[in-house]
Amino acid sequence: MPFKKLIPSLQSILEHKGFDEPLPFQKQILSKIKSGASLFCIAPKDAGKTTSIIISSIQKLKGKAFEDAPRVLIFVKNKEAALNLELEFNAYKRGTDLRVYCAYDEHNIDTQRDDIYDGVDIVIATPRRLNKIFHLNGINLNKLQMCIVEDAEFLFGSQNLSEVTRTPESIGKCQYLVFSTKYDNRFDRWKESFMYNAQIIKMKQA
């Protein structure tokens, strides 16, 4: 998907940042994401995975806030990853009225629940905190359009894998995107349970 097909505010930000065209891996995935496909996006660091998450999310929501329930949910490793991604989103969402919110363990859960209830469009969350808020009836996931995992390597070797797996079991159909530096065989379980017909897109070697 050429950048010229993006909403004007995104085009302006990308131009300001000096990005004339998508990176090679972005050329492989952006059009597929726009089409609504569920993907495992496998590429090394600095291939443009995080920027792809941001561009695709803002484009999907057309840069416009809508009602109260979030339409994009992004799972991240920890508080630091959540706040870093929020900063990146804030840079790219200028010119829109999208509301981005972070939910992580080192913060008062009642405050987070109230903030989300007031209305958000994109939630960046650690898996455990998101599920706690969900089970407190503190977040409505019925309007979710995209469920994304950034740097999915963090899921293995902890309880995060089961926490992330639990969320799709509680929501309706939406687009799932998993970004990682490698494909792990444990992802096969997701292909069987909720990522039906998901494609595995690996960065083509030069």
Side-chain angles (χ1 to χ4, degrees), residues 139-198:
I139 185 169
N140 176 9
L141 299 179
N142 292 330
K143 302 295 184 179
L144 211 61
Q145 297 179 24
M146 302 175 83
C147 183
I148 303 170
V149 184
E150 183 192 38
D151 294 334
E153 297 89 342
F154 80 89
L155 296 175
F156 306 111
S158 69
Q159 294 298 314
N160 285 317
L161 181 62
S162 61
E163 293 281 0
V164 170
T165 303
R166 191 180 307 159
T167 302
E169 295 172 350
S170 306
I171 62 179
K173 182 180 179 181
C174 74
Q175 181 181 18
Y176 295 94
L177 302 171
V178 178
F179 290 80
S180 179
T181 57
K182 64 179 181 179
Y183 186 88
D184 191 288
N185 290 335
R186 283 167 285 193
F187 289 145
D188 290 343
R189 175 184 171 190
W190 290 359
K191 292 173 69 176
E192 296 170 359
S193 60
F194 59 89
M195 289 187 71
Y196 312 113
N197 302 315

Short mmCIF file of all heavy atoms in Angstrom, two decimals, residues 139-198:
data_model
loop_
_atom_site.label_atom_id
_atom_site.label_comp_id
_atom_site.label_asym_id
_atom_site.label_seq_id
_atom_site.Cartn_x
_atom_site.Cartn_y
_atom_site.Cartn_z
N ILE A 139 -14.04 -2.97 30.53
CA ILE A 139 -13.74 -2.66 29.13
C ILE A 139 -14.68 -3.45 28.23
O ILE A 139 -14.92 -4.64 28.45
CB ILE A 139 -12.26 -2.97 28.79
CG1 ILE A 139 -11.93 -2.53 27.36
CG2 ILE A 139 -11.92 -4.44 29.02
CD1 ILE A 139 -10.44 -2.56 27.05
N ASN A 140 -15.24 -2.77 27.26
CA ASN A 140 -16.15 -3.39 26.29
C ASN A 140 -15.35 -3.74 25.03
O ASN A 140 -14.90 -2.84 24.32
CB ASN A 140 -17.29 -2.41 25.97
CG ASN A 140 -18.22 -2.95 24.89
OD1 ASN A 140 -18.14 -4.11 24.49
ND2 ASN A 140 -19.12 -2.10 24.42
N LEU A 141 -15.18 -5.03 24.77
CA LEU A 141 -14.43 -5.46 23.60
C LEU A 141 -15.33 -5.88 22.44
O LEU A 141 -14.86 -6.43 21.44
CB LEU A 141 -13.50 -6.62 23.98
CG LEU A 141 -12.44 -6.32 25.05
CD1 LEU A 141 -11.61 -7.56 25.34
CD2 LEU A 141 -11.55 -5.16 24.61
N ASN A 142 -16.60 -5.58 22.53
CA ASN A 142 -17.54 -6.01 21.49
C ASN A 142 -17.39 -5.23 20.19
O ASN A 142 -17.88 -5.68 19.14
CB ASN A 142 -18.98 -5.87 21.99
CG ASN A 142 -19.30 -6.86 23.09
OD1 ASN A 142 -18.75 -7.96 23.13
ND2 ASN A 142 -20.20 -6.48 24.00
N LYS A 143 -16.73 -4.08 20.25
CA LYS A 143 -16.55 -3.26 19.04
C LYS A 143 -15.16 -3.42 18.44
O LYS A 143 -14.80 -2.70 17.50
CB LYS A 143 -16.79 -1.78 19.37
CG LYS A 143 -18.15 -1.47 19.96
CD LYS A 143 -19.27 -1.76 18.97
CE LYS A 143 -20.63 -1.35 19.55
NZ LYS A 143 -21.73 -1.61 18.60
N LEU A 144 -14.38 -4.35 18.98
CA LEU A 144 -12.99 -4.50 18.57
C LEU A 144 -12.89 -4.89 17.09
O LEU A 144 -13.56 -5.81 16.63
CB LEU A 144 -12.31 -5.56 19.43
CG LEU A 144 -10.81 -5.38 19.69
CD1 LEU A 144 -10.53 -4.07 20.40
CD2 LEU A 144 -10.28 -6.55 20.51
N GLN A 145 -12.03 -4.16 16.38
CA GLN A 145 -11.79 -4.46 14.96
C GLN A 145 -10.41 -5.08 14.73
O GLN A 145 -10.22 -5.85 13.80
CB GLN A 145 -11.90 -3.17 14.13
CG GLN A 145 -13.28 -2.56 14.15
CD GLN A 145 -13.34 -1.27 13.34
OE1 GLN A 145 -12.54 -1.06 12.42
NE2 GLN A 145 -14.26 -0.40 13.69
N MET A 146 -9.45 -4.72 15.59
CA MET A 146 -8.09 -5.25 15.45
C MET A 146 -7.56 -5.65 16.82
O MET A 146 -7.67 -4.89 17.78
CB MET A 146 -7.15 -4.19 14.84
CG MET A 146 -7.56 -3.67 13.48
SD MET A 146 -6.44 -2.33 12.92
CE MET A 146 -5.11 -3.31 12.23
N CYS A 147 -6.98 -6.83 16.89
CA CYS A 147 -6.28 -7.30 18.09
C CYS A 147 -4.85 -7.62 17.67
O CYS A 147 -4.63 -8.47 16.80
CB CYS A 147 -6.97 -8.53 18.67
SG CYS A 147 -6.23 -9.13 20.21
N ILE A 148 -3.88 -6.93 18.27
CA ILE A 148 -2.49 -6.95 17.80
C ILE A 148 -1.57 -7.34 18.95
O ILE A 148 -1.79 -6.95 20.10
CB ILE A 148 -2.10 -5.56 17.26
CG1 ILE A 148 -3.05 -5.13 16.14
CG2 ILE A 148 -0.65 -5.55 16.77
CD1 ILE A 148 -2.90 -3.67 15.72
N VAL A 149 -0.52 -8.09 18.63
CA VAL A 149 0.53 -8.37 19.60
C VAL A 149 1.84 -7.80 19.05
O VAL A 149 2.25 -8.16 17.94
CB VAL A 149 0.70 -9.88 19.87
CG1 VAL A 149 1.76 -10.10 20.96
CG2 VAL A 149 -0.62 -10.52 20.27
N GLU A 150 2.46 -6.91 19.79
CA GLU A 150 3.74 -6.35 19.38
C GLU A 150 4.87 -7.16 20.03
O GLU A 150 4.81 -7.49 21.21
CB GLU A 150 3.86 -4.88 19.82
CG GLU A 150 5.17 -4.24 19.34
CD GLU A 150 5.47 -2.90 19.99
OE1 GLU A 150 5.20 -2.75 21.19
OE2 GLU A 150 5.99 -2.03 19.30
N ASP A 151 5.92 -7.43 19.22
CA ASP A 151 7.10 -8.16 19.74
C ASP A 151 6.68 -9.39 20.53
O ASP A 151 6.95 -9.53 21.73
CB ASP A 151 7.96 -7.24 20.61
CG ASP A 151 8.58 -6.11 19.80
OD1 ASP A 151 8.78 -6.28 18.58
OD2 ASP A 151 8.88 -5.05 20.39
N ALA A 152 6.03 -10.31 19.85
CA ALA A 152 5.36 -11.43 20.50
C ALA A 152 6.30 -12.41 21.20
O ALA A 152 5.82 -13.29 21.92
CB ALA A 152 4.51 -12.19 19.47
N GLU A 153 7.60 -12.24 21.06
CA GLU A 153 8.53 -13.13 21.76
C GLU A 153 8.32 -13.11 23.27
O GLU A 153 8.62 -14.09 23.95
CB GLU A 153 9.98 -12.73 21.46
CG GLU A 153 10.38 -12.85 20.00
CD GLU A 153 10.09 -11.57 19.22
OE1 GLU A 153 9.30 -10.74 19.69
OE2 GLU A 153 10.67 -11.43 18.15
N PHE A 154 7.81 -12.01 23.79
CA PHE A 154 7.65 -11.90 25.24
C PHE A 154 6.61 -12.88 25.78
O PHE A 154 6.55 -13.12 26.99
CB PHE A 154 7.27 -10.47 25.63
CG PHE A 154 5.81 -10.13 25.46
CD1 PHE A 154 4.90 -10.36 26.48
CD2 PHE A 154 5.34 -9.54 24.30
CE1 PHE A 154 3.55 -10.03 26.34
CE2 PHE A 154 4.01 -9.21 24.14
CZ PHE A 154 3.11 -9.46 25.17
N LEU A 155 5.82 -13.47 24.91
CA LEU A 155 4.75 -14.34 25.37
C LEU A 155 5.26 -15.67 25.92
O LEU A 155 4.58 -16.32 26.70
CB LEU A 155 3.80 -14.64 24.20
CG LEU A 155 3.03 -13.45 23.65
CD1 LEU A 155 2.23 -13.86 22.43
CD2 LEU A 155 2.11 -12.87 24.71
N PHE A 156 6.44 -16.06 25.52
CA PHE A 156 6.90 -17.39 25.86
C PHE A 156 7.78 -17.36 27.12
O PHE A 156 8.56 -16.45 27.33
CB PHE A 156 7.65 -18.00 24.69
CG PHE A 156 6.82 -17.98 23.43
CD1 PHE A 156 7.15 -17.17 22.37
CD2 PHE A 156 5.66 -18.74 23.35
CE1 PHE A 156 6.37 -17.13 21.23
CE2 PHE A 156 4.87 -18.70 22.22
CZ PHE A 156 5.21 -17.90 21.15
N GLY A 157 7.63 -18.38 27.94
CA GLY A 157 8.38 -18.45 29.18
C GLY A 157 7.69 -17.75 30.33
O GLY A 157 8.30 -17.47 31.36
N SER A 158 6.41 -17.43 30.18
CA SER A 158 5.65 -16.78 31.26
C SER A 158 4.18 -17.13 31.08
O SER A 158 3.81 -17.93 30.23
CB SER A 158 5.84 -15.27 31.20
OG SER A 158 5.19 -14.75 30.05
N GLN A 159 3.33 -16.49 31.89
CA GLN A 159 1.89 -16.72 31.78
C GLN A 159 1.25 -15.85 30.70
O GLN A 159 0.04 -15.96 30.47
CB GLN A 159 1.22 -16.43 33.14
CG GLN A 159 1.63 -17.39 34.24
CD GLN A 159 1.24 -18.81 33.93
OE1 GLN A 159 0.12 -19.09 33.51
NE2 GLN A 159 2.17 -19.73 34.13
N ASN A 160 2.04 -15.01 30.05
CA ASN A 160 1.47 -14.08 29.09
C ASN A 160 0.78 -14.77 27.92
O ASN A 160 -0.20 -14.27 27.37
CB ASN A 160 2.55 -13.13 28.56
CG ASN A 160 2.93 -12.07 29.57
OD1 ASN A 160 2.07 -11.50 30.23
ND2 ASN A 160 4.22 -11.82 29.72
N LEU A 161 1.30 -15.93 27.52
CA LEU A 161 0.70 -16.63 26.38
C LEU A 161 -0.75 -17.00 26.68
O LEU A 161 -1.64 -16.77 25.86
CB LEU A 161 1.51 -17.88 26.04
CG LEU A 161 1.01 -18.69 24.84
CD1 LEU A 161 1.07 -17.85 23.57
CD2 LEU A 161 1.85 -19.96 24.66
N SER A 162 -0.99 -17.57 27.86
CA SER A 162 -2.37 -17.94 28.21
C SER A 162 -3.25 -16.71 28.40
O SER A 162 -4.44 -16.73 28.07
CB SER A 162 -2.38 -18.80 29.48
OG SER A 162 -1.83 -18.10 30.58
N GLU A 163 -2.66 -15.63 28.91
CA GLU A 163 -3.43 -14.39 29.10
C GLU A 163 -3.89 -13.82 27.76
O GLU A 163 -5.04 -13.41 27.61
CB GLU A 163 -2.60 -13.35 29.84
CG GLU A 163 -2.26 -13.71 31.28
CD GLU A 163 -3.41 -13.45 32.25
OE1 GLU A 163 -4.47 -13.00 31.80
OE2 GLU A 163 -3.22 -13.71 33.45
N VAL A 164 -2.99 -13.80 26.78
CA VAL A 164 -3.35 -13.28 25.46
C VAL A 164 -4.33 -14.22 24.78
O VAL A 164 -5.28 -13.78 24.12
CB VAL A 164 -2.09 -13.08 24.59
CG1 VAL A 164 -2.48 -12.77 23.15
CG2 VAL A 164 -1.25 -11.94 25.15
N THR A 165 -4.15 -15.52 24.94
CA THR A 165 -5.04 -16.50 24.32
C THR A 165 -6.46 -16.37 24.88
O THR A 165 -7.44 -16.57 24.15
CB THR A 165 -4.52 -17.92 24.55
OG1 THR A 165 -3.19 -18.03 24.03
CG2 THR A 165 -5.40 -18.94 23.84
N ARG A 166 -6.56 -16.03 26.13
CA ARG A 166 -7.86 -15.94 26.79
C ARG A 166 -8.73 -14.83 26.20
O ARG A 166 -9.95 -14.96 26.12
CB ARG A 166 -7.65 -15.69 28.29
CG ARG A 166 -8.92 -15.84 29.13
CD ARG A 166 -8.59 -15.57 30.59
NE ARG A 166 -7.49 -16.41 31.05
CZ ARG A 166 -6.73 -16.13 32.10
NH1 ARG A 166 -6.95 -15.02 32.79
NH2 ARG A 166 -5.76 -16.94 32.46
N THR A 167 -8.12 -13.74 25.77
CA THR A 167 -8.89 -12.59 25.29
C THR A 167 -9.73 -12.92 24.06
O THR A 167 -10.94 -12.62 24.04
CB THR A 167 -7.97 -11.40 25.01
OG1 THR A 167 -7.26 -11.07 26.21
CG2 THR A 167 -8.78 -10.19 24.56
N PRO A 168 -9.18 -13.52 23.00
CA PRO A 168 -10.02 -13.84 21.84
C PRO A 168 -11.18 -14.77 22.14
O PRO A 168 -12.18 -14.78 21.44
CB PRO A 168 -9.02 -14.50 20.87
CG PRO A 168 -7.70 -13.99 21.28
CD PRO A 168 -7.78 -13.83 22.76
N GLU A 169 -11.02 -15.57 23.20
CA GLU A 169 -12.11 -16.46 23.58
C GLU A 169 -13.31 -15.69 24.12
O GLU A 169 -14.41 -16.24 24.22
CB GLU A 169 -11.61 -17.44 24.65
CG GLU A 169 -10.52 -18.39 24.13
CD GLU A 169 -9.90 -19.24 25.24
OE1 GLU A 169 -10.20 -18.95 26.42
OE2 GLU A 169 -9.13 -20.15 24.92
N SER A 170 -13.09 -14.40 24.45
CA SER A 170 -14.14 -13.60 25.07
C SER A 170 -14.73 -12.56 24.13
O SER A 170 -15.66 -11.84 24.52
CB SER A 170 -13.58 -12.88 26.31
OG SER A 170 -12.98 -13.79 27.20
N ILE A 171 -14.19 -12.47 22.92
CA ILE A 171 -14.65 -11.41 22.01
C ILE A 171 -15.14 -12.02 20.70
O ILE A 171 -14.92 -13.19 20.40
CB ILE A 171 -13.54 -10.38 21.72
CG1 ILE A 171 -12.34 -11.06 21.04
CG2 ILE A 171 -13.11 -9.70 23.01
CD1 ILE A 171 -11.22 -10.10 20.70
N GLY A 172 -15.79 -11.19 19.90
CA GLY A 172 -16.27 -11.64 18.61
C GLY A 172 -15.16 -11.63 17.57
O GLY A 172 -13.99 -11.44 17.87
N LYS A 173 -15.56 -11.82 16.36
CA LYS A 173 -14.60 -11.90 15.26
C LYS A 173 -13.95 -10.54 15.02
O LYS A 173 -14.60 -9.51 15.02
CB LYS A 173 -15.33 -12.34 13.98
CG LYS A 173 -14.41 -12.50 12.77
CD LYS A 173 -15.20 -12.95 11.56
CE LYS A 173 -14.30 -13.07 10.34
NZ LYS A 173 -15.06 -13.48 9.13
N CYS A 174 -12.63 -10.56 14.85
CA CYS A 174 -11.92 -9.34 14.48
C CYS A 174 -10.63 -9.74 13.75
O CYS A 174 -10.36 -10.93 13.56
CB CYS A 174 -11.63 -8.45 15.68
SG CYS A 174 -10.33 -9.03 16.78
N GLN A 175 -9.86 -8.75 13.35
CA GLN A 175 -8.60 -9.01 12.66
C GLN A 175 -7.49 -9.18 13.69
O GLN A 175 -7.34 -8.37 14.60
CB GLN A 175 -8.28 -7.84 11.72
CG GLN A 175 -7.00 -7.99 10.93
CD GLN A 175 -6.73 -6.79 10.03
OE1 GLN A 175 -7.30 -5.71 10.23
NE2 GLN A 175 -5.89 -6.97 9.04
N TYR A 176 -6.69 -10.23 13.54
CA TYR A 176 -5.59 -10.50 14.46
C TYR A 176 -4.26 -10.33 13.74
O TYR A 176 -4.06 -10.85 12.64
CB TYR A 176 -5.69 -11.92 15.03
CG TYR A 176 -6.90 -12.12 15.89
CD1 TYR A 176 -8.07 -12.65 15.36
CD2 TYR A 176 -6.90 -11.75 17.23
CE1 TYR A 176 -9.20 -12.81 16.14
CE2 TYR A 176 -8.03 -11.91 18.03
CZ TYR A 176 -9.17 -12.44 17.47
OH TYR A 176 -10.30 -12.59 18.25
N LEU A 177 -3.35 -9.59 14.38
CA LEU A 177 -2.02 -9.35 13.82
C LEU A 177 -0.98 -9.64 14.89
O LEU A 177 -1.04 -9.09 15.99
CB LEU A 177 -1.89 -7.90 13.35
CG LEU A 177 -2.91 -7.42 12.30
CD1 LEU A 177 -2.79 -5.91 12.11
CD2 LEU A 177 -2.71 -8.14 10.98
N VAL A 178 -0.04 -10.51 14.56
CA VAL A 178 1.02 -10.87 15.50
C VAL A 178 2.36 -10.50 14.87
O VAL A 178 2.68 -10.97 13.77
CB VAL A 178 0.99 -12.38 15.83
CG1 VAL A 178 2.13 -12.74 16.77
CG2 VAL A 178 -0.36 -12.75 16.45
N PHE A 179 3.11 -9.66 15.56
CA PHE A 179 4.41 -9.21 15.06
C PHE A 179 5.52 -9.83 15.90
O PHE A 179 5.49 -9.79 17.13
CB PHE A 179 4.51 -7.68 15.13
CG PHE A 179 3.62 -6.98 14.14
CD1 PHE A 179 2.27 -6.82 14.39
CD2 PHE A 179 4.14 -6.48 12.96
CE1 PHE A 179 1.44 -6.18 13.48
CE2 PHE A 179 3.32 -5.84 12.04
CZ PHE A 179 1.97 -5.69 12.29
N SER A 180 6.50 -10.42 15.22
CA SER A 180 7.57 -11.13 15.92
C SER A 180 8.80 -11.21 15.04
O SER A 180 8.72 -11.04 13.81
CB SER A 180 7.09 -12.54 16.29
OG SER A 180 8.10 -13.26 16.96
N THR A 181 9.96 -11.47 15.66
CA THR A 181 11.18 -11.65 14.87
C THR A 181 11.29 -13.09 14.35
O THR A 181 12.10 -13.36 13.46
CB THR A 181 12.43 -11.33 15.70
OG1 THR A 181 12.45 -12.17 16.87
CG2 THR A 181 12.44 -9.87 16.12
N LYS A 182 10.50 -14.00 14.93
CA LYS A 182 10.52 -15.38 14.45
C LYS A 182 9.16 -16.03 14.68
O LYS A 182 8.39 -15.60 15.55
CB LYS A 182 11.61 -16.19 15.15
CG LYS A 182 11.40 -16.34 16.64
CD LYS A 182 12.53 -17.17 17.26
CE LYS A 182 12.31 -17.35 18.78
NZ LYS A 182 13.38 -18.17 19.38
N TYR A 183 8.88 -17.05 13.89
CA TYR A 183 7.64 -17.80 14.07
C TYR A 183 7.89 -18.93 15.05
O TYR A 183 8.83 -19.70 14.89
CB TYR A 183 7.13 -18.36 12.74
CG TYR A 183 5.78 -19.01 12.87
CD1 TYR A 183 4.62 -18.26 12.73
CD2 TYR A 183 5.66 -20.37 13.15
CE1 TYR A 183 3.37 -18.85 12.87
CE2 TYR A 183 4.42 -20.97 13.29
CZ TYR A 183 3.28 -20.21 13.15
OH TYR A 183 2.05 -20.79 13.30
N ASP A 184 7.06 -19.02 16.06
CA ASP A 184 7.18 -20.07 17.05
C ASP A 184 6.07 -21.09 16.83
O ASP A 184 4.91 -20.72 16.56
CB ASP A 184 7.07 -19.45 18.46
CG ASP A 184 7.44 -20.44 19.55
OD1 ASP A 184 6.65 -21.38 19.80
OD2 ASP A 184 8.53 -20.27 20.14
N ASN A 185 6.38 -22.37 16.95
CA ASN A 185 5.39 -23.41 16.72
C ASN A 185 4.19 -23.30 17.65
O ASN A 185 3.11 -23.82 17.34
CB ASN A 185 6.03 -24.79 16.86
CG ASN A 185 6.98 -25.10 15.73
OD1 ASN A 185 6.85 -24.56 14.64
ND2 ASN A 185 7.95 -25.97 15.98
N ARG A 186 4.36 -22.62 18.77
CA ARG A 186 3.24 -22.45 19.69
C ARG A 186 2.17 -21.53 19.12
O ARG A 186 1.03 -21.52 19.59
CB ARG A 186 3.75 -21.94 21.04
CG ARG A 186 4.41 -23.03 21.87
CD ARG A 186 5.18 -22.50 23.05
NE ARG A 186 6.44 -21.89 22.66
CZ ARG A 186 7.41 -21.56 23.50
NH1 ARG A 186 7.25 -21.78 24.79
NH2 ARG A 186 8.53 -21.02 23.07
N PHE A 187 2.52 -20.78 18.08
CA PHE A 187 1.51 -19.96 17.40
C PHE A 187 0.49 -20.84 16.67
O PHE A 187 -0.62 -20.38 16.35
CB PHE A 187 2.16 -19.02 16.38
CG PHE A 187 2.92 -17.88 16.99
CD1 PHE A 187 4.08 -17.42 16.38
CD2 PHE A 187 2.50 -17.26 18.15
CE1 PHE A 187 4.79 -16.36 16.91
CE2 PHE A 187 3.21 -16.20 18.69
CZ PHE A 187 4.36 -15.75 18.07
N ASP A 188 0.86 -22.08 16.37
CA ASP A 188 -0.05 -22.96 15.63
C ASP A 188 -1.37 -23.13 16.37
O ASP A 188 -2.43 -23.29 15.75
CB ASP A 188 0.59 -24.33 15.41
CG ASP A 188 1.73 -24.28 14.41
OD1 ASP A 188 1.83 -23.29 13.65
OD2 ASP A 188 2.53 -25.24 14.38
N ARG A 189 -1.31 -23.08 17.69
CA ARG A 189 -2.54 -23.20 18.49
C ARG A 189 -3.51 -22.07 18.17
O ARG A 189 -4.73 -22.27 18.13
CB ARG A 189 -2.16 -23.19 19.96
CG ARG A 189 -3.34 -23.19 20.92
CD ARG A 189 -2.85 -23.09 22.35
NE ARG A 189 -3.93 -22.88 23.30
CZ ARG A 189 -3.75 -22.58 24.57
NH1 ARG A 189 -2.52 -22.47 25.05
NH2 ARG A 189 -4.77 -22.39 25.38
N TRP A 190 -2.97 -20.89 17.94
CA TRP A 190 -3.83 -19.75 17.62
C TRP A 190 -4.48 -19.91 16.25
O TRP A 190 -5.62 -19.52 16.05
CB TRP A 190 -3.02 -18.44 17.65
CG TRP A 190 -2.61 -18.04 19.03
CD1 TRP A 190 -2.90 -18.69 20.19
CD2 TRP A 190 -1.83 -16.91 19.39
NE1 TRP A 190 -2.35 -18.03 21.26
CE2 TRP A 190 -1.69 -16.93 20.81
CE3 TRP A 190 -1.25 -15.89 18.68
CZ2 TRP A 190 -0.98 -15.96 21.50
CZ3 TRP A 190 -0.54 -14.91 19.37
CH2 TRP A 190 -0.42 -14.95 20.76
N LYS A 191 -3.73 -20.49 15.31
CA LYS A 191 -4.28 -20.71 13.98
C LYS A 191 -5.49 -21.65 14.04
O LYS A 191 -6.41 -21.55 13.24
CB LYS A 191 -3.21 -21.29 13.06
CG LYS A 191 -2.09 -20.31 12.74
CD LYS A 191 -0.97 -20.97 11.98
CE LYS A 191 -1.38 -21.35 10.58
NZ LYS A 191 -0.25 -21.91 9.81
N GLU A 192 -5.48 -22.53 14.99
CA GLU A 192 -6.57 -23.49 15.13
C GLU A 192 -7.73 -22.92 15.93
O GLU A 192 -8.89 -23.28 15.69
CB GLU A 192 -6.06 -24.76 15.82
CG GLU A 192 -5.00 -25.51 15.01
CD GLU A 192 -4.34 -26.62 15.81
OE1 GLU A 192 -4.70 -26.78 17.01
OE2 GLU A 192 -3.47 -27.31 15.26
N SER A 193 -7.43 -22.02 16.87
CA SER A 193 -8.48 -21.57 17.78
C SER A 193 -9.16 -20.25 17.38
O SER A 193 -10.36 -20.10 17.54
CB SER A 193 -7.93 -21.44 19.20
OG SER A 193 -6.86 -20.50 19.24
N PHE A 194 -8.39 -19.29 16.84
CA PHE A 194 -9.05 -18.02 16.48
C PHE A 194 -8.44 -17.31 15.28
O PHE A 194 -9.09 -16.46 14.69
CB PHE A 194 -9.10 -17.06 17.68
CG PHE A 194 -7.77 -16.69 18.26
CD1 PHE A 194 -7.06 -15.60 17.78
CD2 PHE A 194 -7.23 -17.41 19.32
CE1 PHE A 194 -5.84 -15.25 18.34
CE2 PHE A 194 -6.01 -17.07 19.87
CZ PHE A 194 -5.30 -15.99 19.38
N MET A 195 -7.21 -17.65 14.91
CA MET A 195 -6.61 -16.98 13.74
C MET A 195 -6.83 -17.82 12.49
O MET A 195 -5.90 -18.28 11.82
CB MET A 195 -5.13 -16.70 13.98
CG MET A 195 -4.89 -15.62 15.01
SD MET A 195 -3.17 -15.13 15.18
CE MET A 195 -2.87 -14.25 13.64
N TYR A 196 -8.10 -18.02 12.17
CA TYR A 196 -8.45 -18.86 11.03
C TYR A 196 -7.90 -18.26 9.74
O TYR A 196 -8.02 -17.07 9.49
CB TYR A 196 -9.98 -18.99 10.92
CG TYR A 196 -10.65 -19.35 12.22
CD1 TYR A 196 -11.49 -18.44 12.85
CD2 TYR A 196 -10.44 -20.59 12.82
CE1 TYR A 196 -12.11 -18.76 14.05
CE2 TYR A 196 -11.05 -20.91 14.02
CZ TYR A 196 -11.87 -20.00 14.63
OH TYR A 196 -12.47 -20.31 15.83
N ASN A 197 -7.33 -19.13 8.91
CA ASN A 197 -6.81 -18.71 7.60
C ASN A 197 -5.75 -17.62 7.69
O ASN A 197 -5.55 -16.86 6.74
CB ASN A 197 -7.96 -18.23 6.68
CG ASN A 197 -9.00 -19.30 6.47
OD1 ASN A 197 -8.68 -20.45 6.23
ND2 ASN A 197 -10.27 -18.91 6.57
N ALA A 198 -5.10 -17.52 8.85
CA ALA A 198 -4.06 -16.50 9.00
C ALA A 198 -2.88 -16.82 8.08
O ALA A 198 -2.51 -17.98 7.89
CB ALA A 198 -3.59 -16.43 10.44
#
